[in-house]
Amino acid sequence: MDQNLKSAGEKFNKDEILADYRLANLSRSLSVIGRREVLTGKAKFGIFGDGKEIIQIALAKQFRNGDWRSGYYRDQTWMMAMGLYNSVEFFHQLYGNTDRDINPGSAGRVFNNHFSVPNINPDGTWRDLTKQKNSSSDISPTAGQMPRLLGLAYASKLFRQNKELHQFSTLSMQGNEVAFGSIGDASTSEGHFWETINAAGVLQVPMALSVYDDGYGISVPKKYQTTKGSISDILKGFEDEPGKPGYLLMKGKGWDYPGLIRLYEEGIEICRRDHKPVVFHIEDVTQPLGHSTSGSHERYKSEERLKWEVESDPIKKMREWILSEGIAAAEELDSLSAEAEAEAKESRKKGWEMFQNPIKIERDALVKIINDRSCRCVEQVKEAAVEDINEDLKKVLSPIRKDNFMAARKILRNVCDTCAKADNLKEELQGWLKRNYQDAGKSYNTNLYNEMSTSVLKVRPVPPEYSENAPEIPGRQILRDNYDRLFSKYPLLVTFGEDLGHIGGVNQSLEGLQKKFGELRITDTGIREATILGQGIGLALRGMRPIAEIQYLDYLMYAIQILSDDLATTHYRTAGRMIAPLIISTRGHRLEGIWHSGSPMSMLINSVRGVYVCTPRDMTRAAGFYNTLLEGSDPAIVIEPLNGYRLKEKLPDNLGEFKIALGIAEILAEGTDLTLVTYGSTVRIAQEAAGQLAAHGISVELIDVQTLVPFDINMIILNSLKKTGRILFLDEDVPGGTTAYMMQEVIERHGGWQFLDSAPKTLTGKEHRPAYTTDGDYFSKPNAEDIFDAVYNMMKEAVPQKY
Ligand SMILES: Cc1ncc(C[n+]2csc(CCOP(=O)(O)OP(=O)(O)O)c2C)c(N)n1
Ligand SMILES: [Mg+2]
């Protein structure tokens, strides 16, 4: 017996030890039964926490109200130990139960063992985050939890160090919260891991990360994942040294119950007190059921490894320790594990019934309609088809909703059309489908955006007001002076990014503001776009109002995974129970060169649905969007037009107050011949072209869509098209990119095709990236002459005798 284990016996309370032992057994039984449920076809996929039970029980003991978790799919025992997850909920997750009251973590929208705890009430107001144990919502991409973890920890630093924030006592207890993370050994190979580790060391934040080292990432062993095969060995350079703050590195064994309890007690105390980041490298971890239900580990683990895993099983080891310490007798432990197994089985039964019952009720109602209403008349063939479908449906042993809907829709096609009774059947079936589709829609198709009263779409717009002699000043100063008001108005507002602190931004739109508001509010960061995003997500989840800056639109590529997988899905994947109202500020569209002039808008809009996308044409509009967004609770990106910082704009009187509504297109010039639709930097070029066209007798109606998502809520473009009958969509994206998106919105979704007198057209950038220099730009992106020709040719085609 290990010396460490031996001496520990006296220190622990027997009841607690036995409760922990029971919980470990319960969790293991759930994993075993859960796997079986998938292999017998009752559930679709399963991934479990077997082998990690003892680590998580020890970890959970240090987790207090107000703390935060950002973990991954192995954490079921941790969640159970904190009282945030129970054995019936385990099955709700596994089956994908969509009832958000009984399956609150995800309402069936994500794989099992992906957790979350609401940060808002159903009306959108913030919960008291200091009175609950908080878990951010898990995502499946490996290491995807890391950037967000940085932000969760960073919030504690801000809440502690910025005294003005001490008043927000339901968001934080003056920063005394720890952000706990977990990650598998193999996922430490990801860039996100290293970027986060470095950033948390630089920032010195209370981040406590556990690495569960089970030696494998699915089938690939550590030697292919980690230099020297040991994450703690290679993290050594990050360790604290006198005068050089870094990390606390701690090591434990996955089977060592008393050792792990001490390890976490010691490490978390330092982390919480000193805001010192800690990495717990937990070795000797097993994975007794293999990676997931998608395969079996016998295929890739050696006989020897498999044998070692059996011997090192943490529950077996804990049992040995309890016996050797004389804490309890074997019979007592046997009865505890039998009890745990019985609970797991009972929970499976309950969970299955709760999953199946509503579906069966839905099916019964359908079958009843068919039985009562079928006409059994002369239309023999159709009637037989209806009977067959109905019989097949009744025979499905474990129905899912798809079975019901498929049957109803197929029967509808076969309802006879000769007698009155059949009319009844048709009507009732249509009614059944409508009602149940509405209900299924609530389960699967809601909450992509905030539907509560806190939605940014409900913010009342306020136009910019101008004095008679309003001066014209460079656009960057409008942004700066607007920010000045915002930082005074919103104490929870912070902004951070590369070069925006000391020098006030590469375009000086924050000039002088760090000096005025302090480094904790306007903060330079390292060059690390993915974790700038994650930092923002974590802060936003904790009730702050972050604006994360990405220096150029092109560099958002580094963060697109986090933006798309994490931020854009947060509200949807928690079925509306969590918000992360992060604002991302960036600039783009025009300059020179392949990596500084991109306008990859279709990449964005097609991968970040769930995040609003604002494309202001000037800095007054940009400022107006920030003002609006800070009044609502939605994540959004604002892309400032890169060539507009020095251009002069009229200075509004109501800086910080005027608000531009999202989704409202603006007609910038009225015209009768053709509708020209664009956004962002191209607006100015379109204005120039419209002037040239007017000189040639062509009257263009120019529309700035202002935001790509949401898109033209009031169908202003459609109304214009009704008048002109011709439309050209213009931007700097690739062919088939955002112009195609806009065309689909107007022509298909809004029904614009009915009003076309000419074929609708698009004018875009070239397929390649824009080349360097002004000429590179001229020949890569649409210019005023291109627009002139495109419009002129459309008019010539339509009215050849005139042009
Ligand atoms: C970005 C990404 N790449 C690959 C995968 C597929 N995948 C899921 S889990 C996993 C292995 C992770 O291993 P590790 O981090 O050691 O965690 P463990 O499952 O062993 O606990 C892989 C490759 C993924 N989910 N995300
Ligand atoms: Mg692993």
Side-chain angles (χ1 to χ4, degrees), residues 72-73 139-146 183 186-188 190-193 291 561:
Y72 79 120
Y73 50 77
I139 61 175
S140 300
T142 47
Q145 71 273 37
M146 293 297 296
I183 190 166
S187 299
T188 64
E190 293 278 14
H192 285 344
F193 172 83
H291 176 74
Q561 185 271 327

Side-chain angles (χ1 to χ4, degrees), residues 409 448 493 663:
R409 293 171 78 176
L448 179 57
L493 175 62

Side-chain angles (χ1 to χ4, degrees), residues 359 363 366 393 396 398-408:
I359 300 176
R363 176 173 72 175
L366 175 62
L393 177 63
V396 181
S398 312
I400 55 173
R401 296 187 85 178
K402 182 180 167 195
D403 296 313
N404 298 344
F405 280 72
M406 275 179 8

Side-chain angles (χ1 to χ4, degrees), residues 105-303:
S106 70
R109 291 182 178 191
V110 287
F111 281 174
N112 76 313
N113 281 339
H114 285 54
F115 308 100
S116 75
V117 172
N119 61 355
I120 50 164
N121 297 306
D123 65 356
T125 53
W126 284 93
R127 292 169 69 104
D128 186 339
L129 304 178
T130 65
K131 298 250 158 32
Q132 62 180 27
K133 296 189 162 69
N134 298 287
S135 174
S136 60
S137 160
D138 299 336
I139 61 175
S140 300
T142 47
Q145 71 273 37
M146 293 297 296
R148 174 186 350 120
L149 176 62
L150 176 72
L152 294 172
Y154 183 61
S156 288
K157 173 172 172 164
L158 295 180
F159 279 119
R160 180 178 285 182
Q161 295 192 5
N162 181 356
K163 304 275 183 290
E164 278 177 40
L165 299 184
H166 289 184
Q167 57 177 307
F168 296 99
S169 57
T170 58
L171 297 178
S172 168
M173 295 166 291
Q174 304 189 358
N176 288 329
E177 306 83 15
V178 169
F180 289 77
S182 66
I183 190 166
D185 54 316
S187 299
T188 64
S189 308
E190 293 278 14
H192 285 344
F193 172 83
W194 292 101
E195 197 177 305
T196 305
I197 287 287
N198 181 51
V202 168
L203 292 172
Q204 290 291 293
V205 289
M207 180 179 98
L209 179 66
S210 296
V211 181
Y212 309 151
D213 188 349
D214 63 9
Y216 289 84
I218 309 185
S219 68
V220 181
K222 239 181 343 187
K223 68 173 178 180
Y224 296 117
Q225 304 279 3
T226 309
T227 310
K228 301 181 181 176
S230 165
I231 192 66
S232 52
D233 277 2
I234 56 170
L235 282 173
K236 281 216 164 77
F238 285 88
E239 220 165 355
D240 258 341
E241 286 175 52
K244 290 184 182 174
Y247 271 79
L248 183 61
L249 291 185
M250 301 184 91
K251 278 167 82 161
K253 303 281 186 200
W255 43 261
D256 179 3
Y257 173 76
L260 286 165
I261 290 178
R262 277 204 223 91
L263 183 84
Y264 279 116
E265 200 175 6
E266 193 185 323
I268 297 301
E269 193 191 330
I270 296 167
C271 180
R272 195 183 298 281
R273 187 189 61 217
D274 302 343
H275 277 193
K276 173 69 46 201
V278 191
V279 173
F280 300 95
H281 180 199
I282 312 298
E283 296 177 295
D284 284 11
V285 179
T286 67
Q287 186 60 68
L289 296 172
H291 176 74
S292 73
T293 51
S294 300
S296 64
H297 60 163
E298 287 81 7
R299 279 189 304 161
Y300 50 81
K301 284 181 187 163
S302 67
E303 287 276 318

